[in-house]
Amino acid sequence: MKKTLLVTVILASLVPTAQATVNVYTDDAHQVDLYGRAYGAYIYQDGNDVKSDGRSDSYFRTGFKASSNLADDLTGLARIEMQFESRDNSDANSTSKTRLMYAGLKNDRGQLTFGRNYAADEIIADWADAGTTNYSGNPAIGNLNRQTNLLKLEMKVLDDALNLVAHIQPESSVDASSGNDSQSSYSLGGVYGFDFGLELGATYTGVMTDDYGANSDSDRSTFLTAVRYKYQGLTASIVGDITNNDSGVDDWTAYELSLAYSLDKLTGTFTYKNRDTDNSKDTIDQAAFGLAYKFNPNFRVVTEYVILDDIKNNIKDDDNQWHMAARYDF
């Protein structure tokens, strides 16, 4: 039965793309665009006769981008993005979340925003997130991904060859139900791009957390460096991470690398994510091979085989995953 199921789902399973948008309103001073994604996915992972071998990883994502001309060289902007997830057969366990919600100002030199947004270190962390399915992410490096209450500045200088980014996050609750834990952070970094396809980037991030219930606090600092090279259909990147905690116990070094090669409508990817820590329980060692076939800019089918060795989450080699999905962007 398992073999029959695998044969069936792989037929439906075959990188990142430019996202389309639909203009829903435009006049002389205002513009509103709608975008979204429908992602129907299945994950196979041997349950070792103690749990289900297969599960859903499907979601629907939609958002709006709005802008208004305020002056000759000043524009107001806003963005909201929501995601609705279907993880199993029970409607009660489907969830929704706000991925992005911010507003701000921009001109020809850059933009300043406040709200829920990608942290400044995402400017290079995203380079290693090149897999074809929803598995892809940054499990090894210590980037912040999306955060709430970010005051974020983005600028381009030196004829747009240098991108600069910084954020400040004031103390913010990370548990709305109790308010017992809070986090504040700051980050700054930049990316310099050469005209022959090479990009170099670096960010520094400081994170301060407070556990009011336990009357304790902790600080950590993360230094990311990255290199990315693009040549014709090839994109290769590596992101390195050195993270230090004030306790001196759970420091780590990590790196994530990715390779992607596109030939016409077919893209193949390889990603590897590794973290070594002072505490072996936080060690991560993951590799993945992916394929994507893009029928047109909107629709593609994707698959990815993930080789896992994650001590922190008690995942062993025999728990490898096979992701398969159809994806539609608008």
Side-chain angles (χ1 to χ4, degrees):
M1 180 64 183
K2 294 180 180 179
K3 292 181 179 179
T4 302
L5 178 61
L6 284 175
V7 171
T8 302
V9 293
I10 192 174
L11 293 177
S13 70
L14 279 164
V15 95
T17 88
Q19 183 163 272
T21 59
V22 178
N23 180 255
V24 295
Y25 179 79
T26 301
D27 62 22
D28 293 339
H30 309 90
Q31 179 171 320
V32 179
D33 293 326
L34 168 70
Y35 65 92
R37 175 183 300 169
Y39 184 82
Y42 178 85
I43 301 176
Y44 176 84
Q45 184 173 7
D46 192 347
N48 297 313
D49 297 325
V50 296
K51 59 182 179 180
S52 172
D53 291 339
R55 63 183 187 272
S56 170
D57 192 33
S58 301
Y59 65 83
F60 176 74
R61 182 183 302 168
T62 188
F64 287 92
K65 296 179 181 179
S67 62
S68 298
N69 295 333
L70 305 178
D72 290 341
D73 188 29
L74 188 63
T75 300
L77 62 92
R79 182 176 180 181
I80 180 172
E81 183 175 291
M82 302 290 295
Q83 183 161 302
F84 308 90
E85 301 175 348
S86 177
R87 300 302 187 189
D88 56 28
N89 283 327
S90 172
D91 290 339
N93 289 332
S94 296
T95 60
S96 63
K97 62 184 178 183
T98 304
R99 286 170 52 87
L100 300 168
M101 184 182 290
Y102 60 81
L105 300 169
K106 69 175 181 178
N107 59 20
D108 292 338
R109 294 176 294 278
Q111 66 181 39
L112 179 67
T113 58
F114 181 77
R116 182 168 180 79
N117 201 349
Y118 287 100
D121 54 13
E122 190 71 7
I123 192 174
I124 57 174
D126 184 58
W127 294 1
D129 187 5
T132 57
T133 71
N134 196 37
Y135 147 77
S136 192
N138 301 116
I141 62 177
N143 67 305
L144 291 176
N145 200 355
R146 295 181 303 275
Q147 296 287 322
T148 191
N149 294 338
L150 289 185
L151 181 63
K152 184 178 178 181
L153 176 66
E154 302 168 76
M155 297 181 60
K156 292 185 176 182
V157 297
L158 302 179
D159 295 327
D160 293 345
L162 178 61
N163 292 345
L164 299 174
V165 62
H167 85 244
I168 296 175
Q169 179 188 36
E171 182 173 326
S172 304
S173 173
V174 296
D175 183 357
S177 62
S178 67
N180 287 341
D181 302 306
S182 72
Q183 172 183 287
S184 58
S185 67
Y186 62 91
S187 181
L188 66 159
V191 171
Y192 187 85
F194 297 88
D195 57 9
F196 54 88
L198 179 67
E199 295 175 280
L200 304 176
T203 63
Y204 180 83
T205 303
V207 181
M208 292 69 70
T209 59
D210 285 287
D211 184 341
Y212 291 98
N215 193 27
S216 65
D217 58 74
S218 61
D219 300 338
R220 74 171 173 89
S221 60
T222 295
F223 182 56
L224 300 181
T225 56
V227 179
R228 180 165 65 176
Y229 181 69
K230 297 180 180 180
Y231 179 73
Q232 297 181 351
L234 175 67
T235 301
S237 63
I238 183 168
V239 181
D241 172 1
I242 300 175
T243 291
N244 294 298
N245 294 275
D246 60 356
S247 63
V249 175
D250 295 321
D251 299 343
W252 74 71
T253 58
Y255 66 93
E256 299 184 356
L257 63 85
S258 66
L259 294 171
Y261 186 76
S262 298
L263 183 62
D264 194 19
K265 296 183 178 182
L266 184 66
T267 297
T269 65
F270 169 74
T271 59
Y272 181 70
K273 307 168 192 298
N274 180 278
R275 179 197 288 180
D276 289 321
T277 70
D278 296 339
N279 183 348
S280 62
K281 292 183 179 180
D282 290 328
T283 296
I284 292 174
D285 188 3
Q286 303 180 6
F289 298 87
L291 283 175
Y293 185 84
K294 187 193 306 182
F295 289 88
N296 58 37
N298 300 97
F299 182 76
R300 79 197 64 187
V301 286
V302 298
T303 188
E304 198 160 19
Y305 186 74
V306 184
I307 303 169
L308 298 169
D309 187 8
D310 187 339
I311 296 176
K312 179 179 181 180
N313 297 310
N314 196 30
I315 298 174
K316 305 294 179 58
D317 286 340
D318 58 357
D319 293 324
N320 296 341
Q321 297 176 351
W322 194 353
H323 296 241
M324 293 148 279
R327 172 178 148 182
Y328 185 87
D329 294 289
F330 64 89

